[in-house]
Amino acid sequence: MAMNKNRLNVRLPPEVNRVLYVRNLPYKITAEEMYDIFGKYGAIRQIRVGNTTETRGTAFVVYEDIFDAKNACDHLSGFNVCNRYLVVLYYQANKAFEKMNTTKKEDDLIKLKEKYDLKTPGRN
């Protein structure tokens, strides 16, 4: 009870959330091994390990509690797993959508250039 009372008074930075983005994972790591590593810091709601060529070596870990996620991020960033040092970050949805938005804008720009037959000097 005392621990929950202390947690109510703690002010966390705005980037802290329950979802962690993990990079530099060994390609052969299993979900069970991920639960063993990250489960030490609290209850986990979900782990998603990347399985495509673009997402291999990455994972998302979703904790039940934001303080458990913060504790895991603080302790596991730089942790050595199979001679690879983990990069543990807080997932930031706005940055992920910003990348998608940029590609969409570039595609729209190409379509407009084709529609109006515009050429940019020095580019194809």
Side-chain angles (χ1 to χ4, degrees):
M1 182 69 182
M3 190 172 200
N4 287 338
K5 197 178 248 188
N6 289 340
R7 285 185 174 187
L8 293 176
N9 296 332
V10 175
R11 189 171 183 96
L12 295 173
E15 71 272 3
V16 176
N17 63 42
R18 296 181 315 123
V19 184
L20 299 179
Y21 175 60
V22 186
R23 294 189 335 211
N24 205 31
L25 285 166
Y27 290 162
K28 303 274 186 194
I29 198 161
T30 64
E32 291 79 26
E33 292 170 328
M34 292 286 292
Y35 275 101
D36 289 343
I37 294 168
F38 286 87
K40 294 175 184 171
Y41 297 96
I44 295 174
R45 179 171 288 185
Q46 183 180 52
I47 292 181
R48 290 281 177 109
V49 180
N51 55 6
T52 66
T53 53
E54 295 88 25
T55 61
R56 281 176 46 183
T58 65
F60 290 98
V61 180
V62 183
Y63 279 92
E64 292 287 340
D65 185 46
I66 192 168
F67 292 98
D68 294 338
K70 182 180 184 325
N71 194 18
C73 187
D74 292 344
H75 288 92
L76 290 176
S77 195
F79 186 73
N80 191 331
V81 177
C82 298
N83 293 324
R84 298 179 72 100
Y85 294 100
L86 298 184
V87 177
V88 183
L89 306 165
Y90 297 107
Y91 174 68
Q92 296 176 340
N94 55 351
K95 285 192 177 181
F97 289 124
E98 193 174 290
K99 281 185 182 178
M100 283 181 10
N101 208 4
T102 304
T103 12
K104 185 181 180 318
K105 286 180 181 178
E106 287 174 353
D107 291 344
D108 291 344
L109 185 61
I110 290 170
K111 287 177 186 174
L112 283 172
K113 284 182 178 182
E114 289 172 357
K115 181 179 178 181
Y116 295 106
D117 197 30
L118 298 173
K119 304 277 188 250
T120 306
R123 293 187 179 178
N124 294 335

